[in-house]
Amino acid sequence: MAASHRLAILLAAFALSLSSASSAAVTLNPSQAAVLAECQRQWQSQLRGWSKGGDCAQMEGVRCNAAGFIVSMNVSNRVLASPIPDAIGNLTTLMHLTLGNDSIKGSIPLSIFRLTNLVLFDLNYNSLAGSIPAGIGHLAALSYLDLSRNYNITGSIPLELESLTNLRFLHLGLMALTGPFPSWISGRTMLNVINFAYNLVTGSIPASIGSTINLKVFNVWRNNLTGSIPESIGSLTKLSRLDFSDNSLVGTIPEGIGNMKYITKLDFSRNQLTGTIPTSLSRLSDLQTLFLSGNMFSGSFPAWITGLPNITTLDLSGNQFSGPLPTALGALKGLTKLSLGGNIFSGPLPAALGSLIGIKYLGLGGNQFSGPLPAALGSLKGLTYL
């Protein structure tokens, strides 16, 4: 099941739990109304109903329980352009807090960590700065955490996240986080999504990462990770997307990658990986995109790739592959991008390339091909780059 589908189920269950409260008029508790009024004042926003209290159903972005206490606040895609008010920490019944894409400034207030009933906490795409406070560990019920795209949040990934045993979705991408890859990630069987992309995280991927057995998405592209890809990664058989691109990983691709029968995207590009591509990847029948560019892979063109039924993007550019291209390449009718430039491929280009009826990008430069371009390439009406 896709991570986005699981989140949809989580939110649907949450909405169902509120249905009885929303079926009749519920008056907002005065203490809660005071918090909304203070937020309205500090944000200088025009959120409908926030300044006067009354019927919860008339208040924009707010859901209440039957007692008139706020359990959900979703205020996204606004230009609030100011800090999160400390008063939000008084909404102690809050289970769902989303303040995404609001141009929020300042740091994450410590008062937030009084919200121990939070299940979903989303502050993505704002202008927050500072570090992730250690108090995050107090949010014991948290299942979904998204602080991504706050480019000025610095410091390391806090160890206190280890105490969040219910965490399933961990989005900390496109920030400025430093320090080592957190070893506590290993063995977290509840985790479905890890996104640390575009940070400055260092160290190696833990050897025991394979014990995080329910992982569906693993994105750590563009960090400063070193070492090899652990053999145990083959135990992550539920993965649908794996992106280790733009790091400094060395060694070979483990054979166990072939156990990831649900994988649709596999990206190891721009590392320092060597060796040949394991034939075990031929079992990845759901694979749609395979990026291996900018490494030091060698050997002949992996002929088994021509048997992948759903492949649409294949990038082997910038490696040391050699020898001729197989005529069986023409069987990949769904291929839209084929990038093979910057290798040592040789021999004539197979006429079967003219059978790639869906191809739009065909990169062949920087090799040692001989002979003319096949006339059949002229029949590729959708081709925009050659």
Side-chain angles (χ1 to χ4, degrees), residues 17-195:
S17 71
L18 299 178
S19 60
S20 60
S22 59
S23 61
V26 175
T27 300
L28 186 63
N29 181 279
S31 66
Q32 311 281 284
V35 171
L36 293 190
E38 176 61 16
C39 290
Q40 181 91 297
R41 185 188 68 79
Q42 291 194 37
W43 284 335
Q44 297 182 355
S45 59
Q46 298 300 317
L47 293 163
R48 175 173 45 82
W50 280 38
S51 59
K52 56 185 179 182
D55 185 1
C56 285
Q58 303 305 314
M59 296 176 187
E60 183 177 353
V62 169
R63 299 291 298 274
C64 301
N65 61 20
F69 287 87
I70 298 171
V71 292
S72 173
M73 179 185 290
N74 186 345
V75 182
S76 298
N77 306 308
R78 295 276 185 159
V79 186
L80 302 179
S82 57
I84 299 171
D86 282 331
I88 281 184
N90 295 325
L91 302 177
T92 54
T93 52
L94 205 58
M95 298 170 63
H96 174 178
L97 177 59
T98 299
L99 300 173
N101 193 22
D102 285 328
S103 301
I104 292 173
K105 300 177 181 179
S107 58
I108 301 172
L110 299 183
S111 64
I112 288 282
F113 306 123
R114 297 201 297 266
L115 306 179
T116 55
N117 291 304
L118 271 185
V119 174
L120 188 150
F121 185 27
D122 185 351
L123 298 180
N124 89 89
Y125 206 180
N126 282 292
S127 299
L128 293 166
S131 60
I132 303 173
I136 194 84
H138 295 307
L139 305 181
L142 206 59
S143 176
Y144 185 102
L145 175 62
D146 190 350
L147 304 178
S148 60
R149 294 191 291 179
N150 283 282
Y151 301 102
N152 294 316
I153 288 185
T154 58
S156 60
I157 298 170
L159 179 63
E160 287 77 10
L161 286 174
E162 182 177 8
S163 64
L164 305 184
T165 55
N166 293 303
L167 201 60
R168 295 186 177 186
F169 303 86
L170 180 57
H171 294 277
L172 300 178
L174 286 84
M175 300 167 75
L177 298 174
T178 56
F181 187 99
S183 60
W184 55 262
I185 290 288
S186 296
R188 301 303 296 269
T189 57
M190 293 288 286
L191 267 178
N192 298 146
V193 174
I194 296 173
N195 179 14

Side-chain angles (χ1 to χ4, degrees), residues 288-311:
Q288 298 172 15
T289 56
L290 177 60
F291 296 98
L292 302 176
S293 63
N295 284 284
M296 294 178 282
F297 293 120
S298 57
S300 59
F301 184 95
W304 50 263
I305 286 178
T306 62
L308 295 177
N310 293 301
I311 195 81

Side-chain angles (χ1 to χ4, degrees), residues 250-266:
V250 298
T252 59
I253 297 177
E255 287 278 347
I257 297 286
N259 298 330
M260 299 176 182
K261 59 182 179 179
Y262 302 112
I263 201 87
T264 60
K265 178 185 178 181
L266 191 57

